[in-house]
Amino acid sequence: MERDVEVLSVPFGLGAGVSGSEHGPEAVVAENLLHRLRASGRRVRHRIIEADGGAVRSKRSSAVFGAPAPVDRSGDSGGKPGDAGCAFRSGANGGPEGMKHEAEVLAINMLLAKETAEAAKQGRFPLVIGGDHSIAIGSLAGLASHYRKLGVIWFDAHADLNTELTSPSGNMHGIPLAVGLNRSRLKLADVWRGAMPLRPERMAIVAARDIDPGEKELIREAGIRLFAMKEIRERGIERVMLEALHIAGNGADGVHFSFDIDSVDPLEAPGTGTPVPEGLTSHEAYAAFGVLRRAGRITSMDAVEVNPLLDGRGGRTAKLAAKLIVSLFK
Ligand SMILES: NC(=[NH2+])NCCC[C@H](N)C(=O)O
Ligand SMILES: [Mn+2]
Ligand SMILES: [Mn+2]
Protein backbone atom coordinates (compact mmCIF):
# COMPACT_ATOMS: atom_id res chain seq x y z
CA MET A 1 0.00 0.00 0.00
CA GLU A 2 1.32 3.43 -0.91
CA ARG A 3 1.78 5.61 2.11
CA ASP A 4 0.09 8.97 2.54
CA VAL A 5 2.54 11.86 2.31
CA GLU A 6 2.96 14.34 5.12
CA VAL A 7 4.62 17.44 3.64
CA LEU A 8 6.37 19.37 6.40
CA SER A 9 7.53 22.82 5.31
CA VAL A 10 10.27 24.20 7.53
CA PRO A 11 11.00 27.85 6.65
CA PHE A 12 14.18 27.99 8.68
CA GLY A 13 17.57 29.21 7.43
CA LEU A 14 19.63 30.12 10.47
CA GLY A 15 21.76 27.00 10.18
CA ALA A 16 23.30 28.34 6.96
CA GLY A 17 25.90 31.07 6.62
CA VAL A 18 23.83 33.07 4.11
CA SER A 19 20.16 33.94 4.37
CA GLY A 20 17.49 32.89 1.94
CA SER A 21 16.98 29.16 2.44
CA GLU A 22 14.15 30.03 4.85
CA HIS A 23 12.20 30.95 1.70
CA GLY A 24 12.87 27.56 0.14
CA PRO A 25 9.67 25.78 1.21
CA GLU A 26 7.45 28.52 -0.15
CA ALA A 27 9.24 28.48 -3.51
CA VAL A 28 9.23 24.70 -3.84
CA VAL A 29 5.63 24.22 -2.71
CA ALA A 30 4.60 27.03 -5.11
CA GLU A 31 5.66 24.75 -7.99
CA ASN A 32 2.33 23.02 -7.61
CA LEU A 33 3.99 20.44 -5.43
CA LEU A 34 0.96 19.28 -3.47
CA HIS A 35 -1.22 18.95 -6.53
CA ARG A 36 1.46 17.02 -8.38
CA LEU A 37 1.98 14.69 -5.44
CA ARG A 38 -1.77 14.06 -5.25
CA ALA A 39 -1.72 13.28 -8.97
CA SER A 40 0.58 10.39 -8.09
CA GLY A 41 -2.38 8.86 -6.30
CA ARG A 42 -1.32 9.64 -2.76
CA ARG A 43 -3.18 11.42 -0.06
CA VAL A 44 -1.19 14.52 0.85
CA ARG A 45 -1.30 16.71 3.91
CA HIS A 46 0.75 19.91 4.28
CA ARG A 47 1.87 21.59 7.49
CA ILE A 48 4.26 24.44 8.17
CA ILE A 49 6.62 24.01 11.12
CA GLU A 50 7.78 27.26 12.71
CA ALA A 51 9.21 28.10 16.10
CA ASP A 52 8.17 31.26 17.84
CA GLY A 53 5.25 31.91 15.50
CA GLY A 54 7.81 32.29 12.73
CA ALA A 55 9.62 35.23 14.30
CA VAL A 56 12.83 33.29 14.45
CA ARG A 57 13.13 32.78 10.74
CA SER A 58 14.10 36.35 9.94
CA LYS A 59 16.32 36.98 12.94
CA ARG A 60 20.02 36.71 12.33
CA SER A 61 22.65 36.97 15.02
CA SER A 62 22.66 40.73 15.48
CA ALA A 63 19.02 40.64 16.48
CA VAL A 64 19.23 37.44 18.47
CA PHE A 65 22.41 37.96 20.44
CA GLY A 66 22.86 41.71 20.22
CA ALA A 67 26.21 40.94 18.59
CA PRO A 68 27.62 42.43 15.39
CA ALA A 69 26.23 40.98 12.17
CA PRO A 70 28.31 38.12 10.77
CA VAL A 71 31.15 39.13 8.50
CA ASP A 72 30.96 37.98 4.91
CA ARG A 73 32.73 34.64 4.79
CA SER A 74 32.29 34.52 1.00
CA GLY A 75 30.55 31.19 1.12
CA ASP A 76 30.70 29.17 4.27
CA SER A 77 33.06 26.45 3.19
CA GLY A 78 35.90 28.92 3.74
CA GLY A 79 37.29 29.94 7.08
CA LYS A 80 39.96 27.34 7.59
CA PRO A 81 41.56 27.45 11.02
CA GLY A 82 43.89 30.37 11.12
CA ASP A 83 41.77 32.51 8.79
CA ALA A 84 40.56 35.83 10.05
CA GLY A 85 37.01 34.46 9.78
CA CYS A 86 37.80 32.04 12.55
CA ALA A 87 37.45 34.83 15.04
CA PHE A 88 33.93 33.47 14.95
CA ARG A 89 34.92 30.38 16.84
CA SER A 90 35.22 32.28 20.05
CA GLY A 91 33.12 35.26 19.01
CA ALA A 92 29.85 36.44 20.45
CA ASN A 93 27.93 35.00 17.51
CA GLY A 94 28.23 31.41 18.51
CA GLY A 95 27.62 29.13 21.42
CA PRO A 96 30.29 27.60 23.64
CA GLU A 97 31.97 25.92 20.67
CA GLY A 98 31.43 28.87 18.38
CA MET A 99 28.39 27.40 16.64
CA LYS A 100 25.93 29.99 15.37
CA HIS A 101 22.23 30.03 16.26
CA GLU A 102 22.49 26.78 18.16
CA ALA A 103 19.49 27.55 20.36
CA GLU A 104 17.25 28.36 17.39
CA VAL A 105 18.41 25.25 15.54
CA LEU A 106 17.62 23.11 18.57
CA ALA A 107 14.20 24.72 19.03
CA ILE A 108 13.02 24.19 15.44
CA ASN A 109 14.37 20.65 15.38
CA MET A 110 12.57 19.67 18.57
CA LEU A 111 9.33 20.75 16.90
CA LEU A 112 10.15 18.98 13.65
CA ALA A 113 11.21 15.75 15.38
CA LYS A 114 7.80 15.51 17.00
CA GLU A 115 6.18 15.75 13.55
CA THR A 116 8.40 13.23 11.76
CA ALA A 117 8.06 10.76 14.65
CA GLU A 118 4.28 11.11 14.68
CA ALA A 119 3.92 10.88 10.89
CA ALA A 120 6.09 7.78 10.73
CA LYS A 121 4.15 6.21 13.58
CA GLN A 122 0.90 6.82 11.68
CA GLY A 123 2.38 5.05 8.65
CA ARG A 124 2.73 8.23 6.60
CA PHE A 125 5.73 9.32 4.54
CA PRO A 126 7.30 12.45 6.06
CA LEU A 127 8.51 14.78 3.28
CA VAL A 128 10.43 17.62 4.90
CA ILE A 129 10.98 20.73 2.78
CA GLY A 130 13.70 23.10 4.03
CA GLY A 131 15.17 25.28 4.93
CA ASP A 132 18.84 24.72 5.45
CA HIS A 133 20.22 21.26 6.10
CA SER A 134 20.36 21.71 9.90
CA ILE A 135 16.69 20.70 9.91
CA ALA A 136 17.76 17.16 9.07
CA ILE A 137 18.68 16.96 12.75
CA GLY A 138 14.99 17.06 13.61
CA SER A 139 13.98 14.75 10.78
CA LEU A 140 16.52 12.18 11.90
CA ALA A 141 15.75 12.51 15.60
CA GLY A 142 12.04 11.87 15.11
CA LEU A 143 12.52 9.11 12.56
CA ALA A 144 15.20 7.36 14.60
CA SER A 145 12.78 7.09 17.50
CA HIS A 146 10.18 5.27 15.39
CA TYR A 147 12.55 3.26 13.21
CA ARG A 148 15.02 1.53 15.49
CA LYS A 149 17.28 0.59 12.59
CA LEU A 150 17.11 3.59 10.31
CA GLY A 151 19.32 3.67 7.21
CA VAL A 152 20.28 6.95 5.56
CA ILE A 153 21.16 8.01 2.02
CA TRP A 154 22.70 11.48 2.07
CA PHE A 155 22.83 13.37 -1.25
CA ASP A 156 25.07 16.37 -0.87
CA ALA A 157 28.08 18.27 -2.21
CA HIS A 158 29.19 18.19 1.44
CA ALA A 159 29.41 15.45 4.04
CA ASP A 160 27.71 17.45 6.83
CA LEU A 161 29.83 15.43 9.25
CA ASN A 162 31.51 18.25 11.11
CA THR A 163 31.18 18.42 14.88
CA GLU A 164 31.13 21.54 17.01
CA LEU A 165 34.88 21.03 17.35
CA THR A 166 35.78 20.50 13.68
CA SER A 167 33.38 22.94 12.01
CA PRO A 168 35.37 25.56 10.09
CA SER A 169 32.36 27.83 9.74
CA GLY A 170 30.28 27.49 12.90
CA ASN A 171 27.27 26.87 10.66
CA MET A 172 24.88 24.25 12.00
CA HIS A 173 23.96 22.93 8.54
CA GLY A 174 27.46 21.44 8.41
CA ILE A 175 26.87 19.03 11.32
CA PRO A 176 23.53 17.15 11.00
CA LEU A 177 24.97 13.81 9.99
CA ALA A 178 27.47 13.90 12.87
CA VAL A 179 24.54 14.60 15.19
CA GLY A 180 22.77 11.57 13.70
CA LEU A 181 25.80 9.46 14.63
CA ASN A 182 25.95 10.99 18.12
CA ARG A 183 29.48 12.17 17.36
CA SER A 184 28.69 15.80 18.16
CA ARG A 185 28.19 17.46 21.50
CA LEU A 186 24.52 17.86 20.61
CA LYS A 187 23.02 14.39 20.84
CA LEU A 188 20.11 13.01 18.86
CA ALA A 189 18.24 12.21 22.07
CA ASP A 190 18.60 15.86 23.22
CA VAL A 191 16.37 16.69 20.27
CA TRP A 192 13.86 13.88 20.63
CA ARG A 193 13.83 11.41 23.47
CA GLY A 194 14.22 7.80 22.50
CA ALA A 195 16.03 8.56 19.25
CA MET A 196 18.49 5.78 18.41
CA PRO A 197 21.87 6.91 17.08
CA LEU A 198 22.41 6.00 13.43
CA ARG A 199 24.85 3.26 12.50
CA PRO A 200 27.65 4.21 10.08
CA GLU A 201 27.22 0.78 8.43
CA ARG A 202 23.75 1.83 7.26
CA MET A 203 24.85 5.17 5.85
CA ALA A 204 25.73 6.18 2.27
CA ILE A 205 26.85 9.62 1.17
CA VAL A 206 26.46 10.42 -2.52
CA ALA A 207 28.08 13.21 -4.62
CA ALA A 208 30.09 14.82 -1.81
CA ARG A 209 33.05 16.76 -3.18
CA ASP A 210 33.82 19.46 -0.61
CA ILE A 211 34.82 17.68 2.57
CA ASP A 212 36.62 19.25 5.53
CA PRO A 213 39.61 17.57 7.23
CA GLY A 214 37.66 16.60 10.37
CA GLU A 215 34.93 15.08 8.21
CA LYS A 216 37.46 13.03 6.22
CA GLU A 217 38.83 11.66 9.45
CA LEU A 218 35.37 10.71 10.71
CA ILE A 219 34.47 9.04 7.39
CA ARG A 220 37.64 7.00 7.55
CA GLU A 221 37.45 6.13 11.21
CA ALA A 222 33.74 5.22 11.25
CA GLY A 223 33.95 3.45 7.89
CA ILE A 224 31.18 5.47 6.20
CA ARG A 225 30.63 4.66 2.51
CA LEU A 226 31.09 7.72 0.32
CA PHE A 227 30.27 7.64 -3.37
CA ALA A 228 32.40 10.42 -4.85
CA MET A 229 31.79 11.98 -8.27
CA LYS A 230 34.65 10.01 -9.78
CA GLU A 231 33.04 6.70 -8.84
CA ILE A 232 29.62 7.93 -10.00
CA ARG A 233 31.08 8.81 -13.40
CA GLU A 234 32.99 5.54 -13.67
CA ARG A 235 30.20 3.18 -12.66
CA GLY A 236 27.13 5.21 -13.52
CA ILE A 237 24.63 6.62 -11.06
CA GLU A 238 22.21 3.66 -11.32
CA ARG A 239 24.72 1.11 -10.10
CA VAL A 240 25.88 3.49 -7.39
CA MET A 241 22.30 3.96 -6.18
CA LEU A 242 21.68 0.23 -6.02
CA GLU A 243 24.73 -0.16 -3.83
CA ALA A 244 23.74 2.85 -1.70
CA LEU A 245 20.31 1.27 -1.18
CA HIS A 246 21.91 -2.01 -0.28
CA ILE A 247 24.04 -0.31 2.39
CA ALA A 248 21.30 1.92 3.82
CA GLY A 249 18.71 -0.85 3.67
CA ASN A 250 20.87 -3.51 5.29
CA GLY A 251 18.73 -4.80 8.17
CA ALA A 252 16.93 -1.46 8.21
CA ASP A 253 13.30 -0.95 9.20
CA GLY A 254 13.24 2.44 7.46
CA VAL A 255 15.44 4.36 4.99
CA HIS A 256 15.68 8.14 5.10
CA PHE A 257 16.71 10.03 1.96
CA SER A 258 18.23 13.43 2.72
CA PHE A 259 18.52 15.45 -0.48
CA ASP A 260 20.62 18.62 -0.45
CA ILE A 261 20.04 20.41 -3.76
CA ASP A 262 23.73 21.39 -3.86
CA SER A 263 24.45 17.77 -4.80
CA VAL A 264 23.38 18.93 -8.27
CA ASP A 265 25.85 21.01 -10.26
CA PRO A 266 25.48 24.79 -9.77
CA LEU A 267 25.12 25.19 -13.53
CA GLU A 268 21.69 23.60 -13.17
CA ALA A 269 20.94 24.37 -9.53
CA PRO A 270 22.45 27.81 -8.85
CA GLY A 271 19.96 28.79 -6.15
CA THR A 272 21.76 27.44 -3.11
CA GLY A 273 24.00 28.95 -0.44
CA THR A 274 27.07 26.73 -0.68
CA PRO A 275 27.43 25.74 -4.36
CA VAL A 276 30.28 23.42 -5.32
CA PRO A 277 31.27 22.85 -8.98
CA GLU A 278 31.45 19.44 -10.66
CA GLY A 279 28.22 18.08 -9.25
CA LEU A 280 25.53 15.76 -10.54
CA THR A 281 23.74 16.66 -13.75
CA SER A 282 19.97 16.95 -13.42
CA HIS A 283 19.82 13.90 -15.67
CA GLU A 284 21.86 11.90 -13.16
CA ALA A 285 19.71 13.21 -10.31
CA TYR A 286 16.52 12.05 -12.09
CA ALA A 287 18.10 8.68 -12.72
CA ALA A 288 19.01 8.39 -9.04
CA PHE A 289 15.48 9.29 -7.95
CA GLY A 290 14.16 6.74 -10.43
CA VAL A 291 16.19 3.96 -8.86
CA LEU A 292 14.94 4.97 -5.42
CA ARG A 293 11.31 5.10 -6.58
CA ARG A 294 11.46 1.67 -8.19
CA ALA A 295 13.15 0.11 -5.16
CA GLY A 296 10.33 1.35 -2.92
CA ARG A 297 12.52 1.31 0.17
CA ILE A 298 12.58 5.02 1.02
CA THR A 299 10.29 5.82 3.95
CA SER A 300 11.03 9.54 4.44
CA MET A 301 12.81 12.41 2.73
CA ASP A 302 14.29 15.88 3.26
CA ALA A 303 14.67 18.33 0.38
CA VAL A 304 16.84 21.20 1.56
CA GLU A 305 19.07 24.19 0.74
CA VAL A 306 17.02 25.74 -2.06
CA ASN A 307 17.70 29.46 -1.71
CA PRO A 308 15.25 31.50 -3.82
CA LEU A 309 17.21 34.72 -3.18
CA LEU A 310 20.15 33.25 -5.11
CA ASP A 311 18.05 31.55 -7.77
CA GLY A 312 17.68 34.44 -10.19
CA ARG A 313 14.49 35.06 -12.09
CA GLY A 314 12.50 32.04 -13.15
CA GLY A 315 13.38 30.09 -10.00
CA ARG A 316 14.95 27.21 -11.88
CA THR A 317 16.43 25.59 -8.76
CA ALA A 318 13.07 25.51 -6.96
CA LYS A 319 11.50 24.11 -10.14
CA LEU A 320 14.12 21.39 -10.41
CA ALA A 321 13.76 20.51 -6.72
CA ALA A 322 9.98 20.18 -7.06
CA LYS A 323 10.25 18.03 -10.18
CA LEU A 324 12.79 15.75 -8.57
CA ILE A 325 10.69 15.37 -5.43
CA VAL A 326 7.61 14.45 -7.46
CA SER A 327 9.66 11.92 -9.42
CA LEU A 328 10.26 9.96 -6.21
CA PHE A 329 6.52 9.28 -5.99
CA LYS A 330 5.54 8.52 -9.58
N1 LIG B 1 24.22 21.56 4.20
C1 LIG B 1 25.20 22.24 3.69
N2 LIG B 1 25.06 22.90 2.56
N3 LIG B 1 26.35 22.25 4.37
C2 LIG B 1 27.50 23.00 4.00
C3 LIG B 1 28.62 22.75 4.97
C4 LIG B 1 29.86 23.45 4.57
C5 LIG B 1 31.04 23.20 5.47
N4 LIG B 1 31.44 21.81 5.43
C6 LIG B 1 30.72 23.61 6.91
O1 LIG B 1 30.79 22.83 7.81
O2 LIG B 1 30.35 24.73 7.14
MN1 LIG C 1 23.91 19.43 3.30
MN1 LIG D 1 25.50 20.78 0.91
Side-chain angles (χ1 to χ4, degrees), residues 133 154-160 173-174 176 260 262 274 304-305:
H133 217 161
W154 198 270
F155 256 60
D156 206 317
H158 311 90
D160 293 349
H173 70 164
D260 185 329
D262 68 27
T274 49
V304 298
E305 297 285 348

Side-chain angles (χ1 to χ4, degrees), residues 63-134:
V64 175
F65 297 105
V71 290
D72 179 18
R73 308 179 61 93
S74 40
D76 60 0
S77 53
K80 301 290 179 291
D83 283 0
C86 264
F88 257 130
R89 300 300 309 276
S90 49
N93 283 307
E97 256 93 34
M99 298 308 289
K100 295 178 239 168
H101 304 291
E102 232 182 336
E104 292 87 346
V105 169
L106 179 61
I108 191 70
N109 280 307
M110 289 171 79
L111 291 177
L112 177 59
K114 182 176 195 293
E115 302 298 329
T116 59
E118 181 65 18
K121 193 171 134 199
Q122 305 289 326
R124 294 194 289 266
F125 184 110
L127 170 57
V128 179
I129 316 281
D132 71 72
H133 217 161
S134 69

